[in-house]
Amino acid sequence: MTTGEVLAGRAYRESTTSRRLEFRRQLGYFLLLLPTLLLLLVLFVYPIVRLIVTSVYDGNHFTLVHYRRIVEVDLYLRVLQTTFTIALQVTLLCLILGYPLAYFLATLRARTARLLMILVLIPFWTSILVRTYAWMVLLQRQGVFNRWLLELGLIDEPLRMMYNRIGVLVGMTHVLLPFMVLPAYAVMRGIDRNLLRAAYNLGASPFQAFLRVFLPLSLPGVAAGSLLVFILALGFFITPALMGGRTDMMIAQLIETQIRTQLNFPFAAALAAVLLVITLVIFAIYNRLLGIDKMFGGGY
C-alpha cells in the first residue's frame, strides 16, 4: 500500500468520524427541541389546520361557499374595511404619541429612563376590560371630561365621545401605545450619540441633526412598533364591542357574533382564516420592504 493510499484512508476515516459526531450533535439538538416542537404542533399548528379545514368543508364535501359569501355580501366587506381603517388610525395615533415619548425617554439617563418606563408598563398590569370600563366612565355624556368642559364653559352641551369611532380610537390607543413605545425606545437607546455630535461639529442645527441622523436610524424601531400595533389592532374585540357603535364593528366582533348567535362555525372559521391570511401578507410585505431582522434590532 502506497503512502498516498494510507493518507487517503486516514482522511476518509477522519471524515467519517467527523460526520458521525456532527450527526450525533444535530440529533442531540433535535431531541432537546422535540418537546417544544410537539407543543407548538399541538397548540399552534393543529388549531390553524383545523380552522382552515372547518372553513372549507361542509360535512364531507369541499366548498368555498363561505369565502364567496365574504366577497359577495357588502356588509362583510364593510366590516373588513372598517377593521383596517381603525387599525391604521390607531397605529398612526400610537406613532404620533409614542415616538416623542420614546425619544424623550432615550435622551434621559438610563436610571431615570427605567423609572419612567414603569409608567409605560403600568397598563400591562391592568386588565383590558378594566381599562375599557374606566374610559367609559371618563368619556360618557355625564362623565368626567364632559363635566370639566361644561364647568369651564368650553361647550354648551355634552360631547358624544362614546359608542362611536372616538371612543374606539381612544380606548385602543391607550391599550396599544406601549407596543409602539418599547420597540422605538429600544432602537433609540442604541443609537450612538457621537453621530449627533459629529453632525453638530459639521455645522448641522439640532433639528437638522435629528432629521438627517437620528430619525433615519430610529426607523427600524418605528417600523417594528407600527407592525406590532397594526397586527394587534386587527384582532381587537373588547374595546370596539364596548365603546364602538354599529358602524364601528370589527372582524373579531363579527366572528364572535357568528359563533355565539348564529352558531355558524364554518363561516366564522372562514372569517378567521381571511384575517390570518391578511396578517401574514402584511407581515411578508414588511419583511420584504424593511427586513424583520433590521426592524427588531438584528441589523445593529
Short mmCIF file of all heavy atoms in Angstrom, two decimals, residues 3 23 104 126 138 147 157 162 165 170 192 197 212 244 253 257 275 277 292:
data_model
loop_
_atom_site.label_atom_id
_atom_site.label_comp_id
_atom_site.label_asym_id
_atom_site.label_seq_id
_atom_site.Cartn_x
_atom_site.Cartn_y
_atom_site.Cartn_z
N THR A 3 1.99 5.31 0.21
CA THR A 3 1.76 6.36 1.22
C THR A 3 0.50 7.15 0.91
O THR A 3 -0.26 7.53 1.82
CB THR A 3 2.98 7.31 1.25
OG1 THR A 3 4.15 6.55 1.50
CG2 THR A 3 2.80 8.36 2.34
N PHE A 23 -23.52 14.31 13.19
CA PHE A 23 -24.87 13.75 13.20
C PHE A 23 -25.38 13.57 14.63
O PHE A 23 -26.54 13.89 14.93
CB PHE A 23 -24.87 12.41 12.46
CG PHE A 23 -26.18 11.69 12.54
CD1 PHE A 23 -27.26 12.09 11.78
CD2 PHE A 23 -26.34 10.61 13.42
CE1 PHE A 23 -28.48 11.42 11.85
CE2 PHE A 23 -27.56 9.96 13.50
CZ PHE A 23 -28.63 10.36 12.72
N PHE A 104 -38.04 61.11 24.18
CA PHE A 104 -37.77 61.75 25.48
C PHE A 104 -37.11 60.78 26.45
O PHE A 104 -36.13 61.13 27.13
CB PHE A 104 -39.08 62.28 26.05
CG PHE A 104 -38.97 62.78 27.46
CD1 PHE A 104 -38.32 63.97 27.76
CD2 PHE A 104 -39.51 62.05 28.52
CE1 PHE A 104 -38.20 64.43 29.06
CE2 PHE A 104 -39.41 62.50 29.82
CZ PHE A 104 -38.75 63.70 30.09
N THR A 126 -52.85 45.88 34.20
CA THR A 126 -54.28 46.04 34.41
C THR A 126 -55.04 45.37 33.29
O THR A 126 -54.63 45.44 32.13
CB THR A 126 -54.65 47.54 34.47
OG1 THR A 126 -53.82 48.21 35.41
CG2 THR A 126 -56.10 47.71 34.87
N LEU A 138 -65.04 57.84 31.96
CA LEU A 138 -64.49 59.16 31.66
C LEU A 138 -65.17 59.82 30.47
O LEU A 138 -65.35 61.05 30.45
CB LEU A 138 -62.99 59.05 31.40
CG LEU A 138 -62.10 58.63 32.58
CD1 LEU A 138 -60.67 58.43 32.12
CD2 LEU A 138 -62.15 59.68 33.68
N ARG A 147 -68.03 66.90 32.15
CA ARG A 147 -68.30 67.79 33.28
C ARG A 147 -67.26 68.90 33.34
O ARG A 147 -67.59 70.07 33.58
CB ARG A 147 -68.31 66.99 34.59
CG ARG A 147 -69.56 66.18 34.81
CD ARG A 147 -69.84 65.99 36.30
NE ARG A 147 -68.67 65.48 37.00
CZ ARG A 147 -68.41 64.20 37.19
NH1 ARG A 147 -69.23 63.29 36.68
NH2 ARG A 147 -67.35 63.82 37.85
N GLU A 157 -73.18 71.79 25.57
CA GLU A 157 -73.84 70.52 25.84
C GLU A 157 -72.81 69.41 25.79
O GLU A 157 -71.75 69.57 25.16
CB GLU A 157 -74.96 70.26 24.83
CG GLU A 157 -74.50 70.21 23.41
CD GLU A 157 -75.66 69.99 22.45
OE1 GLU A 157 -76.82 70.12 22.88
OE2 GLU A 157 -75.38 69.67 21.29
N MET A 162 -68.72 58.51 23.22
CA MET A 162 -68.90 57.08 23.45
C MET A 162 -69.79 56.49 22.37
O MET A 162 -70.61 57.18 21.77
CB MET A 162 -69.54 56.84 24.82
CG MET A 162 -68.54 56.88 25.97
SD MET A 162 -67.52 55.40 25.97
CE MET A 162 -68.76 54.14 26.19
N ARG A 165 -66.61 56.23 16.79
CA ARG A 165 -65.22 55.99 16.46
C ARG A 165 -64.26 56.63 17.47
O ARG A 165 -63.17 56.10 17.72
CB ARG A 165 -64.95 56.53 15.05
CG ARG A 165 -63.57 56.25 14.49
CD ARG A 165 -63.32 54.78 14.28
NE ARG A 165 -64.28 54.16 13.40
CZ ARG A 165 -64.17 54.14 12.06
NH1 ARG A 165 -63.12 54.70 11.47
NH2 ARG A 165 -65.09 53.55 11.33
N VAL A 170 -59.73 56.06 21.19
CA VAL A 170 -59.14 56.41 22.49
C VAL A 170 -58.80 55.15 23.28
O VAL A 170 -57.69 54.99 23.81
CB VAL A 170 -60.08 57.32 23.29
CG1 VAL A 170 -59.59 57.48 24.72
CG2 VAL A 170 -60.20 58.68 22.63
N ASP A 192 -25.79 55.67 18.57
CA ASP A 192 -24.56 56.29 19.07
C ASP A 192 -24.71 57.81 19.06
O ASP A 192 -24.89 58.43 18.00
CB ASP A 192 -23.38 55.87 18.21
CG ASP A 192 -22.03 56.29 18.82
OD1 ASP A 192 -22.04 56.99 19.85
OD2 ASP A 192 -20.99 55.90 18.25
N ARG A 197 -23.16 64.37 17.69
CA ARG A 197 -22.10 65.36 17.96
C ARG A 197 -21.30 65.65 16.70
O ARG A 197 -20.91 66.80 16.45
CB ARG A 197 -21.19 64.85 19.07
CG ARG A 197 -21.91 64.61 20.41
CD ARG A 197 -20.92 64.31 21.51
NE ARG A 197 -21.60 63.97 22.75
CZ ARG A 197 -21.84 62.73 23.16
NH1 ARG A 197 -21.45 61.70 22.42
NH2 ARG A 197 -22.47 62.50 24.30
N ARG A 212 -31.73 64.27 9.84
CA ARG A 212 -30.86 63.56 8.90
C ARG A 212 -30.07 62.42 9.53
O ARG A 212 -29.57 61.55 8.80
CB ARG A 212 -29.88 64.55 8.25
CG ARG A 212 -30.57 65.63 7.43
CD ARG A 212 -29.56 66.48 6.70
NE ARG A 212 -30.20 67.49 5.87
CZ ARG A 212 -29.55 68.33 5.08
NH1 ARG A 212 -28.21 68.25 4.99
NH2 ARG A 212 -30.21 69.22 4.36
N GLY A 244 -67.65 51.09 20.87
CA GLY A 244 -67.96 51.43 19.50
C GLY A 244 -69.44 51.40 19.20
O GLY A 244 -70.25 50.85 19.96
N GLN A 253 -65.50 41.09 16.24
CA GLN A 253 -66.89 41.12 16.70
C GLN A 253 -67.79 40.30 15.79
O GLN A 253 -68.71 39.62 16.26
CB GLN A 253 -67.39 42.56 16.76
CG GLN A 253 -66.64 43.45 17.74
CD GLN A 253 -67.00 44.90 17.56
OE1 GLN A 253 -66.24 45.67 16.97
NE2 GLN A 253 -68.15 45.30 18.04
N THR A 257 -70.04 37.10 16.85
CA THR A 257 -71.48 37.04 16.59
C THR A 257 -71.87 35.77 15.85
O THR A 257 -72.88 35.12 16.17
CB THR A 257 -71.92 38.27 15.77
OG1 THR A 257 -71.60 39.46 16.51
CG2 THR A 257 -73.42 38.24 15.50
N LEU A 275 -58.64 36.77 8.04
CA LEU A 275 -57.86 37.66 8.88
C LEU A 275 -56.43 37.16 9.05
O LEU A 275 -55.47 37.94 9.01
CB LEU A 275 -58.53 37.80 10.25
CG LEU A 275 -57.84 38.74 11.25
CD1 LEU A 275 -57.78 40.16 10.69
CD2 LEU A 275 -58.57 38.73 12.58
N VAL A 277 -54.72 35.23 6.91
CA VAL A 277 -54.00 35.38 5.64
C VAL A 277 -53.61 36.85 5.43
O VAL A 277 -52.47 37.14 5.01
CB VAL A 277 -54.87 34.88 4.47
CG1 VAL A 277 -54.24 35.25 3.13
CG2 VAL A 277 -55.04 33.37 4.56
N ILE A 292 -37.31 41.94 8.68
CA ILE A 292 -37.72 41.74 10.07
C ILE A 292 -36.52 41.81 11.01
O ILE A 292 -36.61 42.34 12.12
CB ILE A 292 -38.45 40.39 10.22
CG1 ILE A 292 -39.71 40.38 9.34
CG2 ILE A 292 -38.82 40.13 11.68
CD1 ILE A 292 -40.70 41.45 9.68
#
